[in-house]
Amino acid sequence: MEQPAAVILAAGSGTRMNSALPKVLHPLCGRPMLAHVVAALRRAGVGRVLIVVGRDGRAAIRNAIGAGADYVVQHPPRGTGHALAQALPHLRRVGLAYVVHGDMPFVSPATLRALRRALGRTGGAALATRVVEDTHRFGRIVRDPAGRFVGIVEERDATPEEAAIREVNAGMYVVRVAEIRRALARVRPNNRQGEYYLTDAMNVLAVTGREVTTVPVSDPAEMLGINTREELAEAEAALRGRILRRLMQGGVTVVDPASTFVDAEVRVGRDTVLHPQTILTGRTVIGAGCEIPRAACTASRRAAVGTFLRWLKTVSIATAATGICAASAINMHT
């Protein structure tokens, strides 16, 4: 099976975050939300990753994500279709590409692989959808009487009948690069925003007889796009819960999940006990059979926890062979 590339749309300014930091670099359980998206794509089998960035955020995003991706600047920002068009010249030898948003950190490898299967050998594109109660902000999926995909209508442009549709676009795609290139060439900014919509390219494919298939998303969290600090906090809580459940399923005791914070890249061995108010950050590694008291454990001072906490108590972690955590209180002041 052909290895797909991926295009991550990350050029949005994120004005509602009210921050000098690019929106996609705001941390989520210890790493930028964009890094979670890149990791999911890698686990789905993606080869080349192209990140479409804004002119002002290019340097910061490159510094954060590194040389594992290529970067394309979109300036001025003229919509999602325009953003994808900036990446296409870099995909001339690529047959398939995922297209995802950099502010959707819960996208899963399973959904990406399902999209690839749904595309098959002849489809023009496949996209993820979900039937929801709250359709606010989502594009609506329009189907013909036989249930075939007809198009996507953005909420701002929907008629009352279209706005009543409850199946919505989840914002994850796999496209055949040659097909989407031709479709984007026909897209015009005939909408209230005056933008080139990626969704209009899906509509062009359908109108011209190319097959556009849909894949249902089972986990509503995958559709979560982060645009505000409140949404960032909600995502942090949701991801933290997933991390702790994964640890507990792997044999770690978490005495009080409500007061335990563990970053995404932390590793904890089986039969270790995490007591209340434990904070494990960065790339901390804890062996099997350890007992962590009320403490914050960091991999090193480079983890930058002290930037955010005025006082920390850490423990030094012994090897898994001894299974002992030797207490070593350290005051860290900023």
Side-chain angles (χ1 to χ4, degrees), residues 243 246-247 262-268 280-286 297:
I243 291 169
R246 172 175 56 79
L247 289 178
V262 178
D263 278 354
E265 297 186 31
V266 169
R267 298 293 177 261
V268 183
L280 306 179
T281 66
R283 296 184 178 181
T284 299
V285 176
I286 298 177
C297 299

Side-chain angles (χ1 to χ4, degrees), residues 192-209:
R192 294 182 182 181
Q193 296 297 105
E195 295 183 342
Y196 294 86
Y197 290 162
L198 173 57
T199 49
D200 280 348
M202 300 294 118
N203 301 347
V204 169
L205 289 173
V207 167
T208 55

Side-chain angles (χ1 to χ4, degrees), residues 40-209:
L41 289 165
R42 295 298 189 196
R43 292 197 299 274
V46 164
R48 188 179 185 189
V49 174
L50 277 168
I51 304 177
V52 182
V53 300
R55 184 177 62 179
D56 295 338
R58 179 179 183 176
I61 292 174
R62 180 189 291 272
N63 289 339
I65 303 302
D70 295 315
Y71 304 87
V72 179
V73 175
Q74 181 193 22
H75 183 78
R78 303 181 67 186
T80 52
H82 179 258
L84 178 57
Q86 309 314 297
L88 291 181
H90 303 271
L91 297 175
R92 295 193 184 280
R93 297 183 180 181
V94 175
L96 304 177
Y98 291 108
V99 184
V100 297
H101 294 268
D103 62 357
M104 295 176 62
F106 289 99
V107 58
S108 74
T111 295
L112 295 170
R113 287 190 288 264
L115 287 169
R116 174 67 185 89
R117 290 192 297 270
L119 181 68
R121 295 183 178 273
T122 60
L127 59 99
T129 72
R130 182 175 171 83
V131 176
V132 299
E133 291 299 318
D134 182 6
T135 58
H136 178 59
R137 295 186 300 150
F138 292 105
R140 309 304 199 270
I141 302 297
V142 180
R143 298 185 181 273
D144 66 14
R148 292 183 293 262
F149 175 89
V150 172
I152 305 170
V153 179
E154 297 296 338
E155 184 173 59
R156 296 184 183 93
D157 306 307
T159 66
E161 293 77 16
E162 292 166 337
I165 296 172
R166 310 211 73 79
E167 185 183 12
V168 300
N169 176 25
M172 294 165 271
Y173 314 82
V174 64
V175 299
R176 209 166 295 281
V177 173
E179 299 278 358
I180 202 69
R181 182 180 286 113
R182 287 190 287 267
L184 283 170
R186 298 182 57 175
V187 171
R188 298 293 179 266
N190 300 325
N191 51 70
R192 294 182 182 181
Q193 296 297 105
E195 295 183 342
Y196 294 86
Y197 290 162
L198 173 57
T199 49
D200 280 348
M202 300 294 118
N203 301 347
V204 169
L205 289 173
V207 167
T208 55

